[in-house]
């Protein structure tokens, strides 16, 4: 949390210099009235990758759904480099956006400084750090779908014959690490002796590199792959092994390969933000809780073509744990540490 502390001091100075204490008042009394929006909310999405990418696609899908119902007016920019991200934030704020959504994992401090300059705009940003009470118009979120990842791990543990599972991720940051750990914990419920191969490709969208990394894991004995990135399921399909999907359901594209997927639903997160804006109550908060299974923010995809092919005992365990997660009697551990190969 050292980095977050260094972020807050510039933010306080920015508040005093540029907003005349407006954000300080926000911390004490809630969102300023000017954050309230009547009618459709003008929403802008800023994404560093294509909207087809798993993680971003869920935000985009939720915004498009809200647009279809008339709740929002939605526009977006994709493939925005981190070096350009603050500039694009400012452009949308100047153009009248009332809610700006995106991901600031690679530009935390600069993005927060921009938010401090526009106290009349609500920012809902994917972040590895927490909300800042002194920056009342910026709320954070992340895909806390560890509940669904855990359940998919149970299925993976039941489906592996070699006892060797390969896991390919983008970067070893909290939002990836916690899903991998939850998946591994689920697999260990079935077989505590499973070996894991863990690798990160250093990119959020590089299917060829993810595919090559997966090939190497298959050659090293993996017969089930955790496809945190696009490209992994392609390798699994070509080599005749199984895969577990992440964030979106890719089984329609890989009907004989993808057994199950942990799905992220961004709609509860976006709906909560829109409700807060319309009520004039948007303020610094952690919206990550809306990704939990009990909030409807994640689920296990239907097995589809693999229905009846997963061992019955494993599916019974999945059903029992899912019910316990939803009623609060079982909690999946959140472990943000970088996972290692075993």
């Amino acid at each position: 949390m050292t980095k977050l502390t260094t972020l807050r001091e510039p933010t306080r100075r920015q508040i005093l210099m540029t907003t005349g204490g407006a954000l300080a008042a926000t911390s004490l009394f809630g969102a300023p009235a000017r954050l309230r929006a009547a009618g459709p909310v003008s929403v802008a999405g800023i994404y560093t990758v294509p909207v087809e990418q798993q993680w971003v696609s869920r935000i985009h899908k939720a915004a498009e759904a809200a647009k279809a119902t008339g709740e929002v007016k939605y526009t977006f920019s994709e493939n925005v480099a981190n070096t350009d991200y603050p500039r694009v934030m400012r452009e949308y704020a100047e153009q009248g956006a009332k809610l700006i959504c995106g991901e600031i994992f690679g530009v935390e401090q600069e993005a927060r400084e921009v938010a401090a300059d526009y106290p009349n705009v609500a920012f809902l940003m994917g972040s590895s750090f927490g909300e800042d009470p002194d920056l009342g118009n910026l709320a954070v979120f992340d895909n806390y779908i560890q509940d669904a990842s855990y359940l998919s791990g149970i299925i993976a543990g039941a489906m592996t014959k070699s006892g060797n599972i390969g896991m390919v991720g983008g970067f070893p940051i909290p939002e990836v690490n916690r899903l991998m750990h939850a998946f591994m914990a689920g697999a260990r419920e079935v077989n505590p002796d499973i070996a894991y191969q863990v690798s990160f490709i250093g990119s959020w969208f590089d299917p060829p590199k993810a595919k090559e990394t997966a090939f190497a894991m298959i050659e090293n004995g993996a017969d089930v792959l955790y496809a945190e990135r696009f490209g992994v399921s392609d390798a699994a399909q070509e080599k005749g092994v199984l895969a577990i999907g992440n964030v979106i359901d890719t089984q329609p594209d890989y009907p004989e390969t993808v057994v199950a997927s942990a799905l992220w639903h961004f709609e509860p997160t976006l709906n909560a933000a829109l409700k807060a804006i319309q009520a004039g109550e948007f303020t610094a908060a952690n919206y990550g809780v809306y990704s939990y299974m009990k909030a409807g923010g994640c689920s296990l995809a239907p097995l589809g073509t693999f229905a009846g092919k997963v061992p019955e005992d494993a599916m019974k365990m999945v059903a029992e744990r899912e019910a316990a997660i939803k009623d609060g009697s079982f909690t999946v551990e959140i472990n943000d540490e970088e996972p290692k190969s075993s």
Side-chain angles (χ1 to χ4, degrees):
M1 285 302 170
T2 301
K3 185 175 180 183
L4 182 58
T5 300
T6 61
L7 286 171
R8 289 184 175 178
E9 284 306 321
T11 297
R12 290 192 183 99
R13 290 196 295 269
Q14 197 80 9
I15 290 168
L16 294 173
M17 292 165 54
T18 63
T19 67
L23 292 182
T26 297
S27 299
L28 293 173
F29 306 113
R34 55 183 171 276
L35 276 180
R36 182 181 288 110
V41 178
S42 178
V43 176
I46 310 174
Y47 312 120
T48 62
V49 292
V51 292
E52 292 82 12
Q53 188 257 15
Q54 299 109 299
W55 194 89
V56 159
S57 72
R58 308 310 285 177
I59 304 173
H60 181 67
K61 176 178 178 289
E64 287 285 3
K67 177 182 177 181
T69 62
E71 290 181 84
V72 307
K73 297 177 181 178
Y74 174 58
T75 186
F76 67 93
S77 295
E78 57 187 337
N79 294 314
V80 177
N82 282 328
T83 52
D84 290 332
Y85 208 94
R87 173 184 59 79
V88 178
M89 289 175 68
R90 291 184 185 279
E91 288 178 354
Y92 277 126
E94 293 289 345
Q95 291 168 13
K98 286 299 179 184
L99 174 63
I100 295 178
C101 294
E103 10 110 23
I104 58 173
F105 300 104
V107 63
E108 291 277 356
Q109 181 164 324
E110 296 89 342
R112 292 169 189 254
E113 290 172 354
V114 171
D117 282 344
Y118 295 93
N120 60 327
V121 178
F123 294 85
L124 180 64
M125 312 304 285
S127 170
S128 293
F129 297 100
E131 71 277 17
D132 185 341
D134 290 330
L135 192 56
N137 63 325
L138 188 146
V140 299
F141 69 88
D142 210 340
N143 62 328
Y144 282 86
I145 64 169
Q146 65 279 347
D147 299 329
S149 295
Y150 170 84
L151 298 180
S152 72
I154 293 175
I155 292 173
M159 296 299 283
T160 178
K161 292 181 172 59
S162 67
N164 189 318
I165 294 178
M167 307 180 70
V168 182
F171 293 92
I173 66 171
E175 70 112 4
V176 175
N177 298 344
R178 72 176 67 105
L179 306 189
M180 285 188 165
H181 278 296
F183 173 87
M184 295 161 77
R188 290 192 188 102
E189 292 275 17
V190 180
N191 181 356
D193 297 322
I194 288 176
Y196 300 93
Q197 301 178 61
V198 180
S199 184
F200 299 92
I201 63 172
S203 172
W204 290 128
F205 194 75
D206 191 344
K209 188 172 183 179
K211 184 177 181 180
E212 288 302 316
T213 302
F215 277 148
M217 291 179 172
I218 295 169
E219 291 176 6
N220 199 36
D223 66 346
V224 174
L225 299 174
Y226 177 73
E228 200 270 329
R229 293 293 101 194
F230 278 159
V232 176
S233 294
D234 294 296
Q237 180 175 251
E238 287 187 26
K239 295 297 184 179
V241 303
L242 301 177
I244 301 294
N246 180 58
V247 175
I248 63 175
D249 185 3
T250 54
Q251 192 182 82
D253 298 319
Y254 308 94
E256 304 304 318
T257 302
V258 175
V259 184
S261 298
L263 306 183
W264 183 31
H265 308 293
F266 191 71
E267 288 79 2
T269 304
L270 179 60
N271 291 341
L274 293 174
K275 182 178 179 180
I277 290 171
Q278 290 163 345
E281 298 173 351
F282 188 92
T283 189
N286 181 3
Y287 277 68
V289 295
Y290 295 105
S291 290
Y292 284 40
M293 183 170 283
K294 61 186 177 182
C298 67
S299 68
L300 187 67
L303 295 185
T305 56
F306 281 87
K309 297 179 183 179
V310 179
E312 185 177 341
D313 287 349
M315 292 311 301
K316 181 180 179 181
M317 182 183 294
V318 167
E320 291 174 349
R321 289 293 161 75
E322 181 176 358
I325 289 168
K326 289 180 177 178
D327 69 23
S329 60
F330 181 82
T331 301
V332 177
E333 180 185 4
I334 296 176
N335 184 348
D336 288 346
E337 297 298 319
E338 180 177 345
K340 305 292 184 182
S341 298
S342 55

